[in-house]
């Protein structure tokens, strides 16, 4: 049975922002300068979409076209700190699993 990396709609639901700050206070006044932390959880499944409870750490989370990346921990959690507002393509990869891309993720900082 082939293992796959499943993120699906869960990445949208399980991704949130905290610690926003900008150039003139907590939210700032210039949207282009807002930053924050993008956090999420990965779910590993087999080809029949059955969750795998093996080691869930080590999933690479990469924002395509940037230097931002993270690796999931044993609880499936990952975090990218200091991210500027924008729209990103997120790639998830782990050896022995397929690669998953989540296109057009809007990060509002």
């Amino acid at each position: 049975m082939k293992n796959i990396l499943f993120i699906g709609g869960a990445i949208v639901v399980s991704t949130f922002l905290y610690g926003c700050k900008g150039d003139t206070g907590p939210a700032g006044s210039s949207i282009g300068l807002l930053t924050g932390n993008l956090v999420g959880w990965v779910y590993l499944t087999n080809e029949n979409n059955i969750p795998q409870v093996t080691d869930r750490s080590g999933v690479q989370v990469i924002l395509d076209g940037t230097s931002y990346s993270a690796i999931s921990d044993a609880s499936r959690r990952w975090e990218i700190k200091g991210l500027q507002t924008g729209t990103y393509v997120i790639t998830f990869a782990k050896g022995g699993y397929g690669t998953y891309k989540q296109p057009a993720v809007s990060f509002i900082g």
Side-chain angles (χ1 to χ4, degrees):
M1 202 179 290
K2 181 181 178 187
N3 292 325
I4 60 172
L5 177 64
F6 174 72
I7 311 306
I11 192 66
V12 176
V13 174
S14 297
T15 301
F16 64 93
L17 155 77
Y18 69 91
C20 296
K21 60 184 175 182
D23 63 344
T24 60
S29 63
S30 178
I31 291 177
L33 297 178
L34 290 178
T35 61
N37 298 344
L38 185 63
V39 178
W41 288 263
V42 294
Y43 298 90
L44 302 173
T45 68
N46 65 22
E47 62 190 6
N48 297 317
N49 206 25
I50 298 171
Q52 301 295 291
V53 292
T54 58
D55 184 13
R56 295 171 275 193
S57 64
V59 175
Q60 295 178 333
V61 181
I62 302 162
L63 298 186
D64 293 1
T66 76
S67 61
Y68 291 103
S69 65
I71 296 179
S72 67
D73 61 20
S75 69
R76 307 180 327 242
R77 184 181 185 277
W78 56 269
E79 179 175 6
I80 296 176
K81 296 181 178 182
L83 184 62
Q84 287 189 331
T85 58
T87 301
Y88 299 94
V89 174
I90 305 176
T91 298
F92 300 87
K94 181 175 180 170
Y97 290 82
T99 299
Y100 178 82
K101 285 191 180 274
Q102 177 73 43
V105 175
S106 293
F107 183 70
I108 59 171

